[in-house]
Amino acid sequence: MRKKIVAGNWKMNTTVTEGVALARAIVSKKNEVPEGVSLVVAPPFTHLTFVAAALKGTDIALSAQNCAYEPKGAFTGEVSAAMLKDAGCAYTILGHSERREYYGENSAKLVKKINLALDNGLKVIFCVGEKLAERKMGNHFEVVGAQISEVLFTLTPEQMKQIVIAYEPVWAIGTGVTATAEEAQEIHAFIRKTIAARFGEAIAEETTILYGGSCKPSNAKELFACPDIDGGLIGGASLNADDFLAIAKSY
Ligand code: PEP
């Protein structure tokens, strides 16, 4: 049975005080989440140590939203994978479409980042997804296939076991427009097939593939009912503990 995950990407939201309060609110109602559904929260860098303390003693995992593509040194403003591990992270998100779009995150940089993250004992939530124009032209399989092959195909099978994939169509992120369950299932199945072609059926079957993009309590159930959707990467709705937990309870 592959792992079911509901992960909250807080992006550049909340102060440390608000973030700790949000984490505590999630912890206080975690017992409502069905067994077998793992929760992950990804606050901003400045919050990590404090949120780690708020999560201590629970099985809610801490994630960063990004990491540097160099291990250490003169890279002003960057945060290394080793620092994230030291701060209590179990995961880092990599390749989010906002990083790809606004910060020039390309596959070459992502290969470096993913290796550093894995070398430092972090699991990776690796984001892929097409833009609206690419979907309209019917190129979404090609785009997502390339995002996967350029980065994940460089990994060893052992490394691949530490990867969670998040399919996040760019046109659905923060827009209120969600992919239909059929659209999402179709491409999740394609992603699993792509992983199977490189790493074999067993690894593909064990790979958790999350859906992200305007996922909320009202649509999570239908999405999570799809056979190849193993949970969600949640942006906006993860900033409210009740909404985040309601999504996790959709299983
Ligand atoms: C995201 O950016 O990872 C995301 C899924 O955002 P939202 O849920 O707000 O669309």
Side-chain angles (χ1 to χ4, degrees), residues 154-220:
T154 68
L155 302 179
T156 66
E158 279 315 301
Q159 287 180 310
M160 185 59 214
K161 290 180 187 168
Q162 304 304 313
I163 307 295
V164 170
I165 298 173
Y167 168 66
E168 300 205 300
V170 179
W171 47 273
I173 295 180
T175 59
V177 179
T178 321
T180 64
E182 292 72 27
E183 286 169 334
Q185 166 56 28
E186 184 185 34
I187 197 144
H188 277 237
F190 165 80
I191 291 169
R192 200 175 304 286
K193 223 173 76 193
T194 304
I195 296 300
R198 165 71 177 82
F199 293 101
E201 289 291 338
I203 288 181
E205 275 306 309
E206 286 300 309
T207 301
T208 297
I209 308 177
L210 309 180
Y211 169 79
S214 298
C215 186
K216 39 191 182 262
S218 58
N219 59 26

Side-chain angles (χ1 to χ4, degrees), residues 212-248:
S214 298
C215 186
K216 39 191 182 262
S218 58
N219 59 26
K221 202 178 178 106
E222 201 187 347
L223 288 159
F224 295 174
C226 297
D228 287 294
I229 299 181
D230 308 312
L233 179 55
I234 319 298
S238 72
L239 295 171
N240 176 298
D242 287 335
D243 285 350
F244 183 59
L245 291 162
I247 292 170

